[in-house]
Every structure is written in structure tokens, then in C-alpha cells.
Amino acid sequence: MRLGEVVVDVAPLRTGRDFRLIFATQAISMVGTHLTSVAASLQVYHLTGSSVQVGLMSLVLGLSLLVGLVTGGLLADRVDRRKVMLVTRAVTAVVIAGLAVNAALPDPQVWFVFVAAVLAGGTSGLGGPALMAATPALVAPGQLAAAGALTTLTAQLGGMVGPSLAGVIAAGPGVAVCFAIDAAIYVVGLALLAPLPKLAPEGRAEAQDQHPLKAMGEGLRFLRGNQVVAGLLLIDVCAVVFAMPYALFPELGTEHFGGGPSTVGLLYTAPAVGSFFGALTSGWTGRVHHTGRALIGAVAVWGVAMTCFGLSPNIWLALAFLALAGLGDTASEILRRALLQHYTPDRLQGRVGSLWLAQATAGPSVGNVEAGLVARALGSSSGAVVLGGLVCLAGVGAVALAMPGLRKATLSRPPESGGDDRAVPAEASPAAD
């Protein structure tokens, strides 16, 4: 296999101006999001001296984000998606600017940080499904996996650069500067997204006549009748709910591996390193013929790697398996995103995408709670990791056996119409320069 077939495929960036604008917006936004997230946590802890308050702020942000995502999915299938992205980003820019002003005051108010978390989480959730649903309309069908890989790469870069940059800025000029930079990033994002064409969803007239609950019910019925989309959501649940041991890293780093804070930091860093490498070497994801089988294999890699991590006798072997888990997770995310967009009709992209984003938001939190409870019941954090990995593998096998539509899924040909396991996606034409 040639090197060009392994490294991340940048064809969507070469062939489509509009996708380049989306990509640039996401790249800078991920850095800004981490700037605000870290700065808000630092500010709340500084003002209250309580880690519980920091956790409550994260909970408030997460809940408002989930509400926004569900509502945003309905909105993205009813109105021009470009307009949704612009309006929600403009509102979020104002909210983040308010955080900067509050932080610059002689006596910053912690209640304002909580209010801003609700507003920012809600508006970000409203715009998220519209941004995700825009991709199939801006790239060729054969470039969905490549577009997903590029999107994943921006997330990994933001996750690696943003928190460190936030720490440096907070320790120097202060958290107010972190907020101000993020607000400016949102304004730049508005300027980048403004030239996009109108992105009206198919069948929006019919969607506007539907009651919101009926419209959401239509999205859920689509999931029940489509083995590919339902299967890729279920198989991800197996990974993030049963084999998500991040909450155990502090105990594992200090008790099991006999290290300190630096060892714990390495445990959190290793999956990100593997994920970044996985995104850089994702060129194969758009060329593999049996996409569904590749997805099943990628999630199985996560389960095997986590099982081996729990059995690792030393820190370096543990870090290697965590990096392998991160690589499998990135491949899984790229393939899941591409299959979801390929098999979902345009009129449902917003609603189905919002469910995928909501699961991605809530799933890891549930998984970390589950890992903590199992570790307490077993009296062993490493035993909980091993058990979680094995349950993940059993779940992956069960989904693969129960849903042959997922095993047969491919990006190399259009979905067949007329069956429950297939849905014809919207016409997608690459945006011209």
C-alpha cells in the first residue's frame, strides 16, 4: 500500500471551497472551546475553592448542551442550516464576551459563569446538528470518510493544544484573556461561514408542518428500521458505556502503577496520542470496501486494548495499549460518522445527527460512572477495566451477529432504496472553487 493511501486524505479540502471554510471554522473553534472550558473551571475553583462547584458547572453545561442538541436536530431539518450556524455562533460569541467582561471585573460573579454555561451550552447544541448535517451537502459522497477524518483531526489538535494554551494564558494574562480570545475566534468563524451557500434541508416544508414530537418520532422510527444507523449507534454504546475507564485513571496511576500526578497525566495523554496518529493515518477509511466490518473491527480493537490495559503489569505497556485504544477509537469515529451521513436521508440529517452527538456527549459520562461503580463493587480498578473490555467485546459480537445490515454496510456504493436497512441519502455535490 502506498503512503498516499495511508495518510489522511485531504481531497475534500482540495476540491471544495465551502468545506474548507467549515474545516477552518472547526479547527480554530476546537482550540477556543478548550480555552473557555479550562478557563471557566479555573475561575469557578478560584472563586469558590470547591471542586464540587466545578463539577456542577460541568454538569449544567452538559445538560444544556444535550437539550440544545435535541432541539437543534429538529431545527436543522426545518430551516436553512447556514442561518442556524450563523445565528447560534453570534449568540455564543456574545455570551463568551460576557464571560470575559465578568472575569475582568474587580469582583467576578460565579453565578454569571453558571448562567453563561447554560446559554453557551444550549446555543452550541442548537448549532451542532446543523454543522454536522452541512457536510454531506458540501462534499462528494465518496469523500465522506475523508471529511470525517479531517474533522476528527481538528478535534484531536484542539484537544492537544487548547488545554495547554489555556493553562499558559491563565497563569499569565489571566482567564479573562482566554475568554476574549475564544469570543474573537467565534467572530472569525462567523466571517468564515458567511460565504457559504444556503443549506436548506430537503422536505423542510413538510417538516415545518409537523409537531416537534412527531418529527422526533420520525427520526426514532428511522433508527428502528435502519440496521446500519441503529447498529453503529449501538456498537458505540458498547465501547463508551462498558469500556470507558478514564474516571479510574487517578487511582490506577497512583495505586496500581505506583506513580504520582505525572503518571496519571500520562494515562490521560496516551489515548489522545493514539487518536492523533489514527487521524493522520486515516487515508484507508475512505477506500476500504467492507466499511461495516471495518467499523466492527475498530470497536473490537478498543475493547481488546482496554482489556490488555487492565492486565498490564507496568506503566509503559499500559500506555502502549491506551495508545492502541485511541487509534481504534479514531477509526471507529471516522467510519461511524461517514456511515451515518451516507445512510441517512437529507431530510433527517439534523435529527439523526443530533442523536449521534447527544450519545457522544452523554455516553462517556455514563461510562465513567459505570466504571467507578464496578471498581467499587469488585474492589479493584484494574479488574473493572478488564471486565469492561470483555463486556465491550461481547456486546460488539452481539451487535454484529444481530444486525447483518451493519456487517454489509459500505461507502463504496449508494444505499439501496426500498428496504428497511437502507435509506437514500440526499444528492451531494462537491462545492466548486
Side-chain angles (χ1 to χ4, degrees):
M1 183 178 290
R2 292 175 299 178
L3 180 62
E5 296 176 341
V6 176
V7 298
V8 62
D9 186 357
V10 297
L13 296 177
R14 290 199 309 266
T15 59
R17 182 211 64 168
D18 293 335
F19 181 75
R20 286 200 296 272
L21 296 175
I22 292 281
F23 174 81
T25 301
Q26 290 176 316
I28 61 174
S29 294
M30 288 307 302
V31 175
T33 296
H34 286 286
L35 284 176
T36 290
S37 177
V38 173
S41 297
L42 289 171
Q43 186 180 33
V44 170
Y45 185 77
H46 175 74
L47 293 175
T48 65
S50 170
S51 294
V52 173
Q53 292 290 335
V54 176
L56 285 175
M57 185 203 63
S58 298
L59 177 63
V60 166
L61 177 64
L63 290 175
S64 61
L65 181 62
L66 283 174
V67 173
L69 286 171
V70 174
T71 308
L74 294 170
L75 193 64
D77 289 338
R78 291 172 175 245
V79 300
D80 178 20
R81 290 159 180 166
R82 171 184 174 273
K83 184 180 295 185
V84 174
M85 289 187 284
L86 292 176
V87 171
T88 54
R89 293 189 72 83
V91 173
T92 307
V94 173
V95 174
I96 302 300
L99 280 172
V101 172
N102 179 63
L105 294 174
D107 186 21
Q109 300 298 308
V110 70
W111 64 264
F112 185 83
V113 182
F114 278 82
V115 172
V118 172
L119 295 175
T123 52
S124 295
L126 283 174
L131 183 64
M132 182 174 176
T135 299
L138 299 178
V139 302
Q143 294 179 344
L144 284 175
L150 290 167
T151 300
T152 301
L153 189 59
T154 65
Q156 298 304 329
L157 283 172
M160 293 172 65
V161 174
S164 300
L165 184 61
V168 171
I169 295 174
V175 295
V177 176
C178 290
F179 295 134
I181 292 174
D182 191 22
I185 285 174
Y186 270 96
V187 173
V188 172
L190 280 171
L192 288 171
L193 295 176
L196 290 177
K198 289 184 178 180
L199 297 169
E202 289 187 354
R204 66 171 176 170
E206 293 81 357
Q208 289 171 347
D209 293 335
Q210 280 185 315
H211 189 279
L213 292 179
K214 185 177 180 181
M216 184 54 69
E218 184 183 7
L220 293 174
R221 286 194 300 274
F222 170 77
L223 286 182
R224 274 203 313 268
N226 189 297
Q227 284 194 3
V228 178
V229 178
L232 64 89
L233 291 175
L234 284 175
I235 205 168
D236 186 48
V237 167
C238 296
V240 298
V241 172
F242 300 118
M244 179 58 69
Y246 287 15
L248 304 179
F249 283 0
E251 180 180 350
L252 286 166
T254 55
E255 302 296 331
H256 183 70
F257 294 113
S262 60
T263 301
V264 176
L266 287 174
L267 293 178
Y268 280 110
T269 301
V273 173
S275 294
F276 183 66
F277 180 77
L280 285 178
T281 57
S282 61
W284 63 272
T285 56
R287 298 180 177 89
V288 62
H289 178 68
H290 299 291
T291 315
R293 296 176 189 175
L295 169 60
I296 294 168
V299 182
V301 167
W302 169 273
V304 169
M306 282 301 178
T307 302
C308 294
F309 163 64
L311 295 171
S312 298
N314 62 71
I315 183 63
W316 299 113
L317 191 59
L319 293 176
F321 283 121
L322 284 176
L324 178 62
L327 191 150
D329 183 50
T330 292
S332 166
E333 180 181 348
I334 293 169
L335 295 171
R336 279 185 290 116
R337 182 189 294 266
L339 284 170
L340 181 141
Q341 293 175 334
H342 187 64
Y343 280 82
T344 302
D346 184 77
R347 63 185 177 83
L348 292 171
Q349 284 281 349
R351 279 164 284 180
V352 176
S354 71
L355 293 173
W356 189 79
L357 291 170
Q359 176 185 280
T361 301
S365 299
V366 174
N368 278 306
V369 172
E370 183 270 343
L373 292 175
V374 173
R376 177 180 295 181
L378 295 178
S380 169
S381 55
S382 59
V385 174
V386 173
L387 179 60
L390 293 175
V391 173
C392 169
L393 289 172
V396 169
V399 172
L401 289 173
M403 295 188 165
L406 180 62
R407 298 198 306 270
K408 299 174 184 177
T410 179
L411 296 172
S412 61
R413 64 176 182 269
E416 302 169 4
S417 59
D420 287 341
D421 295 345
R422 298 290 187 267
V424 179
E427 285 290 329
S429 58
D433 285 332

